[in-house]
Amino acid sequence: MSILRNIFIRFSKQVETSDHQKDSSLNTHYYKATFNQLFQSIEDSFRQDADCRIATVSKDHGEIAVEINKPISCFLIVTVVTVRPMETAVDFNISSEKFSPIGLYPILRKRLISYYERINKLHTLVRVGKSS
């Protein structure tokens, strides 16, 4: 049954991070920063990326919507939420309408991990996983 599940996951066209992921690399990341600091640095990071175009920014909802052109066209929603003072969580939801004979999940997963690595260079990571 696990093999069949892995095949279905591989061909998934949508990947999201959360506290309840079985894949620990896709768990929510918590940073030692205020909402404004983290939100602004993430927004600036995507504005500077030539492969990305910010579609909408909603600071009230803590969301940034990004259209990604390369290596495959996809759509990303970044969610930034304050958990407590000086602790802010970041989650991603990425999807694509493209088809790949080898499956899109590995490509989309790798992209989300790279975004977390980019944020890790800018802010102090408190923990990965469930909020305590």
Side-chain angles (χ1 to χ4, degrees), residues 3 6-7 17 29 47 50-52 60 78 89-90 93 97 103 119:
I3 294 170
N6 287 340
I7 290 172
T17 62
H29 283 49
R47 286 200 191 280
D51 297 334
C52 299
D60 294 338
V78 184
V90 177
N93 187 329
E97 292 299 316
I119 298 169

Side-chain angles (χ1 to χ4, degrees), residues 86-106:
M86 289 302 291
E87 188 173 326
T88 307
V90 177
D91 274 314
F92 296 107
N93 187 329
I94 192 168
S95 61
S96 178
E97 292 299 316
K98 296 286 183 186
F99 173 77
S100 172
I102 59 169
L104 286 178
Y105 184 86

Side-chain angles (χ1 to χ4, degrees), residues 14-131:
Q14 187 257 340
V15 181
E16 70 178 318
T17 62
S18 74
D19 280 334
H20 308 289
Q21 284 285 356
K22 290 182 180 183
D23 182 350
S24 63
S25 62
L26 295 177
N27 280 342
T28 302
H29 283 49
Y30 295 85
Y31 295 94
K32 184 177 182 178
T34 65
F35 171 85
N36 288 329
Q37 291 169 336
L38 198 56
F39 193 89
Q40 190 62 50
S41 67
I42 291 171
E43 183 180 351
D44 292 344
S45 176
F46 282 110
R47 286 200 191 280
Q48 294 168 1
D49 191 334
D51 297 334
C52 299
R53 185 183 78 77
I54 293 181
T56 60
V57 175
S58 175
K59 205 165 189 178
D60 294 338
H61 293 105
E63 292 184 344
I64 302 171
V66 182
E67 294 174 359
I68 302 167
N69 302 319
K70 295 180 184 175
I72 58 167
S73 61
C74 46
F75 189 73
L76 173 74
I77 296 176
V78 184
T79 306
V80 181
V81 178
T82 299
V83 179
R84 57 179 68 109
M86 289 302 291
E87 188 173 326
T88 307
V90 177
D91 274 314
F92 296 107
N93 187 329
I94 192 168
S95 61
S96 178
E97 292 299 316
K98 296 286 183 186
F99 173 77
S100 172
I102 59 169
L104 286 178
Y105 184 86
I107 297 166
L108 297 175
R109 178 185 175 275
K110 184 177 178 183
R111 192 138 193 131
L112 293 185
I113 292 169
S114 73
Y115 292 141
Y116 273 139
E117 289 171 351
R118 189 186 304 178
I119 298 169
N120 291 348
K121 292 177 184 175
L122 301 172
H123 296 280
T124 304
L125 181 66
V126 176
R127 72 178 169 283
V128 176
K130 296 180 180 169
S131 175

